[in-house]
Amino acid sequence: MFLQCLYTTFTLTFILLFIIYWKLIRPGKRIYDVLRAQGIPCEPFVPLLGQVPRLYKYNKQNRIMNFHEELCKKHGLIFMFGLGSYPRLVVQDADLIADILGRAHAPYYQKPRDLSSRLKPLIGLRNLLISNGYEHARARRMLNPGFHFENLRSMVSNMTDETTKMIDKLFESCGKTINLEKELSFLTLTIIASSAFGGNFETMVNAREIVSEAFIAALDAIVNRSLLLIDQIPFFSRLPFWGKDIIDKGCEKALNFVEQIINDRKQGRSKNLCQNADILDLLLKAVDSHGEHFTDEEIRQEAMAFVLAGHQSTGDLMVWIMYVLMTNPSILNACQNEVDRVLPNGMIPTYEKLNELNICESIIHETLRLYPPIPFFVRQCIQDHTIKSKNYQLNIPADATILINSYLIHREEKYWPRPLEFDYTRWMRDPETGLKPKLAHPYCYLPFASGPRSCIGQNFALIEAKVILAMFVQRCNFELEPKNQKIAMDVRIIMRPKFGLFSKITKRR
Ligand code: HEM
């Protein structure tokens, strides 16, 4: 009996270890070996963990970007490190990045599978953010026209309305210290949700609570679980711990809410808040090359993906802009002078007037360069592919995951003179031609990524950022409060100030 027990235990342990090796260690090791054999510098291969313990230590000290900077200093523009069982090939050379992100190479790369499994509970799999292949290309073709300037122009009035409401509410705080990070995140959430869902967002009971609390709580739980690597092991990810109940409840509330909104719009029980079509109209009207519309399920998932992709990124861009303005009086002054000239006497910005705000636009781009809200993104190679630059030729094996760190590329001396200096004038358009200065390389500025998986909402975000910036500097005085508050970068997909950004806001005139 004892021997039989021993034998069974031994066999089960052996099977378990074999599965762990086969599923979780061998695939990563193979990729390490193929790339190391080509001379790629690597951090030591540590099964199952990789460099995660070191990353955690840096994260705890709020120095996550130093982790990446130090690896880049040690190894150069191409290297590898381990993130749990998945190795990450870091590529920082703009020529090589062009070979990865360029349209012609799209068949070789897709969004990584672990990203899909993490976000699936919240937004499903059938949306632009995580679908791949034909499904993604079809949806992108159907939705691209919705983000053309004609449609965006009609969304400006919704952006100015929501910003006016927010600023009026801030004035009610009568100069008390407020956390701008929270307020701006809420403002951008309201703008994208009302652009996506129309009048219901204003009138439905609990709409704001559902989107801003349930949705964000679920998203936070998803990010925390991914930092703990829970989703790398499917068995663990199904256990009812580590915030699973928050995710389940939040997702259910948010999905029911979106379903009701779609039904209301279809049956004419709600109207949009934009002058023309809003995002929900665009989703309802879009047709593919066979004349087919999106299914209800696809509309629901696309709408959720827009809210997910579009709110925190723009919110944190605005936070960094405010931080720059509050710590650089001369930049604030130049910005305020331009806004007072283009939008005198409290004029509400229109699409046409926004185009005249050259300094505002340059401040936005320089902030996106030094503080990109999405500081890195990843691509998974799906069939062996060779990439080349002047100095390198590299055969990327299928299944390798590539990490592109735009934060570091935006600070790379090779592409940017005086890389650490905030100099918005490097973006100023030529007054004669209206053209922006040429970049040192088309792939050295990637706040919105590039190629067929670049951000579909980038023009929406740039217009929205300009509206909020112009209206804030036009109407408010703002200063850091307390002056010596600690600003540390927190990176959880989005890069934001870890402890918020506290300031005092008063009426300008
Ligand atoms: C400052 C604000 C924003 C930044 C910095 C930003 C950045 C990015 C980046 C870097 C990607 C590529 C991610 C990856 O490859 O993994 C992306 C994709 C995406 N973004 Fe944005 N984004 C912003 C605002 C928005 C807004 C306002 C919307 C919606 C209106 C939006 C919708 C999307 C969607 C749907 C995708 C997936 C596109 C695809 O794969 O075809 N984003 N964004």
Side-chain angles (χ1 to χ4, degrees):
M1 181 67 185
F2 173 74
L3 272 183
Q4 200 176 0
C5 262
L6 197 67
Y7 176 74
T8 314
T9 313
F10 177 78
T11 313
L12 286 178
T13 311
F14 178 78
I15 292 174
L16 185 67
L17 288 177
F18 182 76
I19 293 175
I20 291 177
Y21 169 75
W22 197 257
K23 287 271 185 203
L24 297 175
I25 300 179
R26 199 189 72 109
K29 180 77 171 76
R30 182 184 68 84
I31 288 165
Y32 249 90
D33 290 344
V34 173
L35 289 166
R36 205 198 309 252
Q38 296 178 57
I40 301 296
C42 299
E43 286 296 289
F45 180 81
V46 183
L48 299 177
L49 291 177
Q51 276 61 55
V52 165
R54 189 141 47 104
L55 201 60
Y56 264 45
K57 211 170 89 191
Y58 275 73
N59 191 29
K60 259 193 144 166
Q61 300 164 346
N62 308 318
R63 293 174 56 231
I64 202 128
M65 280 308 174
N66 293 102
F67 170 85
H68 292 275
E69 261 161 353
E70 284 166 23
L71 288 187
C72 205
K73 259 194 203 126
K74 178 171 162 194
H75 297 302
L77 294 180
I78 304 180
F79 58 90
M80 207 161 32
F81 73 94
L83 193 67
S85 13
Y86 299 106
R88 292 284 187 257
L89 171 65
V90 180
V91 177
Q92 304 285 90
D93 177 286
D95 282 333
L96 295 181
I97 293 175
D99 270 0
I100 296 163
L101 298 182
R103 198 160 287 279
H105 308 116
Y108 295 96
Y109 299 95
Q110 65 175 23
K111 292 280 180 85
R113 283 182 277 273
D114 55 327
L115 179 78
S116 323
S117 58
R118 264 183 266 154
L119 293 180
K120 184 179 156 201
L122 193 57
I123 57 173
L125 295 175
R126 308 197 67 187
N127 58 70
L128 272 189
L129 209 52
I130 50 183
S131 63
N132 280 309
Y134 172 77
E135 191 172 359
H136 173 266
R138 168 181 176 262
R140 183 90 192 202
R141 263 196 308 273
M142 288 166 78
L143 289 170
N144 267 338
F147 289 88
H148 285 168
F149 285 100
E150 260 325 293
N151 279 314
L152 295 177
R153 181 202 300 259
S154 87
M155 295 180 192
V156 169
S157 59
N158 183 36
M159 294 174 185
T160 55
D161 286 352
E162 293 297 345
T163 310
T164 306
K165 279 187 221 161
M166 154 67 74
I167 292 178
D168 288 347
K169 202 186 108 212
L170 288 181
F171 288 152
E172 285 166 20
S173 70
C174 300
K176 280 197 205 116
T177 303
I178 54 151
N179 183 356
L180 261 184
E181 211 253 327
K182 273 223 154 70
E183 301 295 339
L184 288 167
S185 164
F186 188 71
L187 172 59
T188 51
L189 177 65
T190 315
I191 290 178
I192 184 72
S194 54
S195 306
F197 304 137
N200 273 41
F201 190 70
E202 297 293 316
T203 52
M204 247 172 93
V205 185
N206 288 346
R208 282 171 197 261
E209 181 265 329
I210 291 167
V211 178
S212 67
E213 286 173 26
F215 187 85
I216 289 178
L219 185 60
D220 266 359
I222 288 173
V223 173
N224 283 337
R225 283 160 65 92
S226 70
L227 287 177
L228 292 169
L229 302 177
I230 299 203
D231 298 301
Q232 289 199 4
I233 303 171
F235 171 72
F236 283 163
S237 68
R238 287 191 205 104
L239 296 176
F241 310 122
W242 306 294
K244 181 139 186 343
D245 56 329
I246 301 177
I247 298 178
D248 291 345
K249 270 192 221 140
C251 294
E252 196 190 324
K253 266 191 184 177
L255 287 173
N256 289 341
F257 162 77
V258 179
E259 204 162 71
Q260 187 181 338
I261 284 194
I262 294 169
N263 286 338
D264 283 357
R265 179 69 63 90
K266 277 185 156 174
Q267 288 159 18
R269 288 201 298 262
S270 84
K271 60 172 177 38
N272 84 45
L273 296 172
C274 304
Q275 284 162 352
N276 241 326
D278 64 8
I279 294 178
L280 186 53
D281 288 327
L282 300 172
L283 287 167
L284 289 164
K285 280 186 202 144
V287 279
D288 67 11
S289 51
H290 306 291
E292 298 282 332
H293 289 272
F294 283 125
T295 62
D296 280 2
E297 186 55 29
E298 284 170 325
I299 294 175
R300 198 169 74 161
Q301 297 194 10
E302 294 291 0
M304 293 287 282
F306 280 125
V307 175
L308 174 67
H311 100 270
Q312 195 77 49
S313 45
T314 323
D316 282 302
L317 165 61
M318 292 319 303
V319 174
W320 291 117
I321 292 177
M322 292 307 210
Y323 170 68
V324 167
L325 294 182
M326 289 193 283
T327 47
N328 293 279
S330 62
I331 300 176
L332 173 59
N333 203 21
C335 182
Q336 223 149 27
N337 288 341
E338 180 184 72
V339 171
D340 288 348
R341 182 174 51 74
V342 177
L343 301 168
N345 307 320
M347 182 195 276
I348 305 263
T350 58
Y351 181 80
E352 288 66 29
K353 286 286 170 193
L354 289 174
N355 284 335
E356 293 175 33
L357 296 172
N358 195 355
I359 295 180
C360 288
E361 180 182 278
S362 305
I363 291 173
I364 293 169
H365 280 298
E366 187 65 346
T367 308
L368 283 166
R369 182 181 75 82
L370 281 174
Y371 308 98
I374 301 190
F376 29 66
F377 49 92
V378 278
R379 294 287 179 268
Q380 184 160 25
C381 179
I382 48 173
Q383 48 174 310
D384 293 3
H385 183 224
T386 303
I387 57 176
K388 286 184 205 141
S389 72
K390 253 187 253 145
N391 305 324
Y392 305 96
Q393 165 156 337
L394 192 57
N395 300 317
I396 306 206
D399 277 342
T401 304
I402 298 161
L403 185 148
I404 295 173
N405 187 325
S406 29
Y407 175 91
L408 289 184
I409 298 165
H410 293 177
R411 290 166 180 242
E412 174 58 54
E413 259 177 1
K414 194 169 154 191
Y415 306 120
W416 303 96
R418 299 164 285 103
L420 300 185
E421 190 182 317
F422 189 100
D423 175 10
Y424 70 85
T425 62
R426 61 175 106 221
W427 296 98
M428 293 290 281
R429 287 176 186 274
D430 182 317
E432 304 270 287
T433 61
L435 294 175
K436 268 194 265 171
K438 212 166 165 255
L439 294 174
H441 191 291
Y443 285 81
C444 71
Y445 179 60
L446 298 167
F448 298 106
S450 186
R453 304 290 320 227
S454 64
C455 176
I456 197 173
Q458 60 182 287
N459 291 325
F460 182 102
L462 290 172
I463 292 175
E464 181 184 1
K466 233 197 242 183
V467 166
I468 301 175
L469 170 60
M471 293 185 78
F472 261 79
V473 297
Q474 182 189 45
R475 294 169 186 211
C476 310
N477 289 315
F478 37 90
E479 52 188 290
L480 278 184
E481 183 68 41
K483 301 258 175 299
N484 58 349
Q485 66 190 275
K486 189 171 170 189
I487 305 289
M489 282 182 195
D490 186 25
V491 183
R492 303 166 152 235
I493 307 181
I494 306 273
M495 186 171 82
R496 56 181 164 183
K498 180 161 190 163
F499 309 107
L501 182 70
F502 289 86
S503 83
K504 206 163 81 177
I505 309 258
T506 48
K507 227 181 208 163
R508 197 168 150 224
R509 57 181 158 210

